[in-house]
Amino acid sequence: MLPIKIKPVTTKLQSILAELNQLDPIYSIKIIDREQCLYHKINDYYDIEVSGFNNQKKSTECTIFVWLIKPYRDLVEIIPVGNNLSVLSDTLAEIRNRYRTLTDQEKPNIR
């Protein structure tokens, strides 16, 4: 089996990470499904993955994935965001607030 090559983190992804972490440095870059994604663990039960950045395209269409991580891994919500950093930042803040206090037994109030 050939080794899997992971592309280096693009300047665009580094720039977006720096912008989002300006006020609250909670996001990191994590390799998920062979793609470098933005990542944040909300609490012991939920985390956020943002994919679609790590490419050479000038315009980026990103998607937010919210995952239940405990007691088992399950996709809870998919939110297409597009390429507006302000919309992405606002949407991530809404998601963090919505899921922050939830456990695996509680259902999020999804719009």
Side-chain angles (χ1 to χ4, degrees), residues 23-24 31 42 62 70 85:
L23 297 175
D24 195 4
I31 297 171
I42 300 171
C62 67
K70 191 179 188 181
L85 186 58

Side-chain angles (χ1 to χ4, degrees), residues 38-105:
L38 292 178
Y39 175 82
H40 172 63
K41 183 175 178 182
I42 300 171
N43 58 28
D44 288 340
Y45 300 97
Y46 295 96
D47 67 7
I48 300 171
E49 162 194 345
V50 185
S51 71
F53 295 114
N54 209 33
N55 58 53
Q56 300 303 320
K57 296 177 185 174
K58 288 184 180 182
S59 176
T60 301
E61 297 292 322
C62 67
T63 304
I64 300 171
F65 298 89
V66 180
W67 292 90
L68 174 70
I69 54 178
K70 191 179 188 181
Y72 53 86
R73 193 136 179 90
D74 193 24
L75 184 59
V76 177
E77 191 172 359
I78 301 172
I79 305 162
V81 179
N83 61 3
N84 186 312
L85 186 58
S86 177
V87 171
L88 173 63
S89 180
D90 292 346
T91 305
L92 288 170
E94 288 174 23
I95 291 169
R96 286 194 330 268
N97 287 333
R98 188 177 335 143
Y99 286 88
R100 179 173 283 131
T101 60
L102 295 181
T103 68
D104 64 325
Q105 302 299 314

Side-chain angles (χ1 to χ4, degrees), residues 15-31:
S15 172
I16 292 168
L17 178 67
E19 184 78 26
L20 288 175
N21 280 337
Q22 236 177 6
L23 297 175
D24 195 4
I26 58 174
Y27 297 97
S28 61
I29 296 174
K30 185 174 181 178
I31 297 171

